[in-house]
Structure formats: C-alpha cells, structure tokens
Amino acid sequence: FLGQIQSEGSKNLSDKVEFCNKSIKEHRDFVDFLYYLGIPKSKIFTKLDYHENIKNIKVEIKKFENFFGRKINYISKSNKSRGGFGFKIIVRSTLLSEIICNALDYLRKLLVKSKWNKELNSFADGFFAKILSGDGSFEIISKNRNVPQARLYIADGNLNYLSDYASIMNKYGFSPKINKKWKYVRSYCNPKLAKNILNIGAFDNNSNKNKLVSFLKSRNSVIATK
C-alpha cells in the first residue's frame, strides 16, 4: 500500500489521499488495502483523466466500473496530456493523509538507515516491488552483445526520493547511480538480481514483467548453449 502511494499516490499532506494508475489490478490492490484500513466504499471517489485521442475509452470505463461496482464520479477529457489515461482513487480525509504521509516518510527512512530484520525484509519486498511497478522500468541491452545485459531504472522528480531508492537498491545488491539531470536512478541488473525482483512481485501488473522474464530466459538459453 505504501509502495503504491510512494510511486503513484499523494505523498504530501493534503485534505485527501489519491492514487492514480491505469491498471485495474493495481487499483484492486489499493482498494483492498483501503477496506482493510476500515475505509468504506461510500467514502471512496473515483475519477478518470484521459486524452481525447483515446478511442476505446468507453471500454476502459466499463472495465473499471465493473471492477469497482459503481459509476465513475468524475470524468475529465483533455487535449493537453501526453495521450494516455489514468483512473484515480480519492479518499477525502486530512487525518488519513496525515497518517499515511507520516508513516511513509518514517518507514522509507527506516529502510534506508536500519539493518533489515525479518519484518523489515518483508516490508521492503512489498514496498520496493510496488515502486518498481509504478515508477520503474526494465531495459534489455542486446545490441552488439553476445550475452544480453539489462538495466533497472526508477524515475522520480524528487532527488531525495531517488537517493532513498538508491540506498534501498544497494541493500538488494544493486550498484545504483543517480542521474540528477534527468531525474532517475539506474543500475545494471544481472540474472540473480532479476530473479530476485521477479520473486518479490515487481512489475506484476505491467509490460516490464515480460521483459524481465524474457531476459531471464535469454540468459538461461546462453548458459545452456555453452
């Protein structure tokens, strides 16, 4: 839940908590967490922001409404976005926003500064997996190489967050470098690390998972050939 907020939610104290994503599976996870916290469906509002060029938006709306069991509260069309769409879950509560923001900052710093025990390892896996699913990307580098290589990226406009992500990546065995100009942290990713992030559930609900699986298969194929 906090990993989802960290990657694609409202991270600053406000009068509401928001989470935006196009994946219904991600929204299902998020709403289930809200229910677990005792937030009833009647307190949850939904919104759709989409570019006017999206032709199948009615199909996407129907999918979301079938999942949520209720009509979308607000629909906003624009010609100024980058051509995509995103569904937004909104809970209007200053108290919930304060609790989540404080917990998020505290636990993220705890992951950075503390030695991980069993409980922190478990939290770190879920937190890191959702950050990768929201703001991460996986790139296979195969041009002019006999053995495919890969890199893991996390993009964020906040350099302090990138610094925290780099520290967390270090604890997983990565060797991250922060690009301050383009606002991302990047590391090469070997098969062992790729298998690890696959096992913790990274990229479960987006296309990067296919790249991750493809990379592992290609490296296994090279080993088998040798």
Side-chain angles (χ1 to χ4, degrees), residues 26-37:
E26 286 293 324
H27 279 291
R28 181 176 289 111
D29 286 349
F30 190 78
V31 169
D32 284 346
F33 284 127
L34 290 177
Y35 292 158
Y36 180 79
L37 292 174

Side-chain angles (χ1 to χ4, degrees), residues 159 162-164 166 176-181 183-186:
L159 290 176
L162 290 180
S163 178
D164 289 344
K177 302 294 182 184
I178 297 175
N179 185 309
K180 294 183 178 180
K181 180 180 179 180
K183 306 291 180 61
Y184 65 76
V185 57
R186 180 179 73 182

Side-chain angles (χ1 to χ4, degrees), residues 151-204:
R151 286 187 291 216
L152 186 71
Y153 290 81
I154 304 175
D156 198 296
N158 188 313
L159 290 176
N160 290 326
Y161 293 156
L162 290 180
S163 178
D164 289 344
Y165 300 160
S167 296
I168 293 170
M169 290 171 72
N170 263 314
K171 292 190 176 185
Y172 278 98
F174 290 95
S175 299
K177 302 294 182 184
I178 297 175
N179 185 309
K180 294 183 178 180
K181 180 180 179 180
W182 299 109
K183 306 291 180 61
Y184 65 76
V185 57
R186 180 179 73 182
S187 173
Y188 280 100
C189 184
N190 62 37
K192 181 180 178 180
L193 293 171
K195 187 176 181 179
N196 189 20
I197 62 173
L198 180 66
N199 288 339
I200 67 174
F203 303 125
D204 265 356

Side-chain angles (χ1 to χ4, degrees), residues 1 8 12 30 48 50 69 84 90 114 122 132 149 166 215:
F1 176 72
E8 297 189 288
N12 298 313
F30 190 78
L48 166 66
Y50 75 99
I90 305 167
S114 301
S122 178
L132 290 177
Q149 304 292 319
F215 170 68

Side-chain angles (χ1 to χ4, degrees), residues 7 18-19 22 49 76 109 123-124 161 175 177 189-190:
S7 61
E18 296 183 339
F19 173 70
K22 65 169 58 177
D49 294 303
S76 175
K109 290 301 183 183
F123 173 72
Y161 293 156
S175 299
K177 302 294 182 184
C189 184
N190 62 37

